[in-house]
Amino acid sequence: MRLSRSSGILLHPTSLPGRFGSGDFGAEARAFVDFLVASGQSLWQVLPLGPTGYGDSPYQLLSAFAGNTLLIDPRHLIAEGLLTLEEIAAPSFSAECVEFEQVQQFKDRLLRRAFENFKRGAAKHLAANFEEFCDRNEFWLEDDALFHALKDARGGIQWTQWEQGLANREPLALEKARNELRDQIERHKFYQFLFFKQWQELSDYCHTRGVKIIGDIPIFVAHDSVDVWANREYFKLDHQGERTV
């Protein structure tokens, strides 16, 4: 196979400029793609795009499959009919760096409002696509949404510190949690739907401009992740779920 010589730039999307405290998949990302084209570059290496855990590192992810909701563009949610201009009014964020905790709290409020509006009947054109997304991604999305709902309800503590029935994924404990956290689980599924919808649209824009995306993944999954919690048989863990090596 012969490959033509090419060059590009490594940039995680959170490093893009923007008024919402963190770079996202919005207009600034498309402007960066246009910059790559204008400067003769054809590759964009994005780094892992998953939800970050301890230290906000893209190599310490809560999920190997899910997307980081910080990257959802609020302005696009206006275009979808999920939010209003008044609802996305942002506080004064640093222009020099990402203040991850503050930005995450701000984005969480926006996304929660978008989901509430969706449940009240806003953006009805998205309903069928959301259902199709959930069906197509059920193999990872069900556990991922439950994991995040449980983690939120417990102040973000590591899953090994949850009640033993939940940490050990005992069927009755999981069934009870799914019933009690039904709305929260659906909300997290909706967040992932929005993430992947916007990511696909940005990917399509890259391809139309002749820019190829280089992905990246961590060398191994994080211990405090849905991947380990939901697949304990593949890891060296003790009865409490703690690592033995």
Side-chain angles (χ1 to χ4, degrees):
M1 182 173 62
R2 295 178 61 86
L3 299 175
S4 59
R5 188 172 183 176
S6 56
S7 63
I9 295 178
L10 183 154
L11 178 87
H12 195 273
T14 54
S15 294
L16 291 164
R19 54 187 261 225
F20 301 105
S22 166
D24 55 39
F25 291 154
E28 292 80 10
R30 286 163 176 76
F32 178 68
V33 175
D34 295 340
F35 162 76
L36 291 175
V37 175
S39 55
Q41 310 301 305
S42 58
L43 302 172
W44 179 6
Q45 184 169 355
V46 294
L47 302 183
L49 301 176
T52 57
Y54 177 77
D56 301 303
S57 168
Y59 294 95
Q60 184 83 2
L61 300 179
L62 296 173
S63 170
F65 291 93
N68 188 341
T69 56
L70 283 184
L71 297 173
I72 296 174
D73 174 24
R75 293 160 297 186
H76 192 77
L77 301 184
I78 295 178
E80 295 282 14
L82 290 167
L83 292 174
T84 65
L85 186 61
E86 293 74 19
E87 287 173 327
I88 70 167
S92 179
F93 289 115
S94 169
E96 301 298 325
C97 63
V98 179
E99 300 165 317
F100 283 100
E101 185 174 353
Q102 294 91 321
V103 177
Q104 189 68 67
Q105 292 173 358
F106 169 70
K107 281 288 181 75
D108 285 347
R109 288 196 299 271
L110 287 187
L111 293 173
R112 186 184 293 265
R113 178 64 62 86
F115 175 70
E116 291 170 351
N117 290 339
F118 177 71
K119 292 293 288 183
R120 285 196 289 263
K124 292 181 179 179
H125 64 285
L126 295 178
N129 292 337
F130 175 47
E131 184 175 349
E132 191 273 335
F133 170 82
C134 292
D135 291 341
R136 187 175 70 250
N137 295 281
E138 181 180 9
F139 72 98
W140 66 267
L141 188 60
E142 289 294 330
D143 280 326
D144 181 85
L146 175 59
F147 178 84
H148 279 85
L150 287 167
K151 203 169 182 60
D152 288 350
R154 285 151 183 78
I157 62 173
Q158 184 167 302
W159 65 266
T160 56
Q161 300 174 26
W162 296 352
E163 302 91 314
Q164 188 171 5
L166 292 172
N168 293 335
R169 292 180 59 84
E170 296 174 4
L172 290 179
L174 293 182
E175 181 180 2
K176 180 182 178 182
R178 290 189 183 102
N179 289 330
E180 292 176 347
L181 300 172
R182 189 178 305 275
D183 288 344
Q184 295 91 321
I185 291 170
E186 185 180 10
R187 175 158 50 84
H188 281 287
K189 290 180 180 179
F190 188 67
Y191 294 175
Q192 291 305 308
F193 166 69
L194 296 177
F195 171 92
F196 281 102
K197 186 175 187 300
Q198 292 194 13
W199 171 236
Q200 185 62 60
E201 291 167 355
L202 178 59
S203 298
D204 291 344
Y205 185 80
C206 289
H207 296 156
T208 61
R209 300 287 279 140
V211 173
K212 295 179 180 178
I213 298 169
I214 301 176
D216 196 5
I217 59 173
I219 296 172
F220 46 78
V221 296
H223 180 213
D224 187 22
S225 68
V226 60
D227 311 293
V228 176
W229 175 67
N231 301 280
R232 290 179 54 160
E233 66 272 22
Y234 297 119
F235 302 93
K236 292 185 181 297
L237 308 173
D238 64 17
H239 182 67
Q240 300 298 323
E242 298 293 350
R243 289 166 288 191
T244 58
V245 296

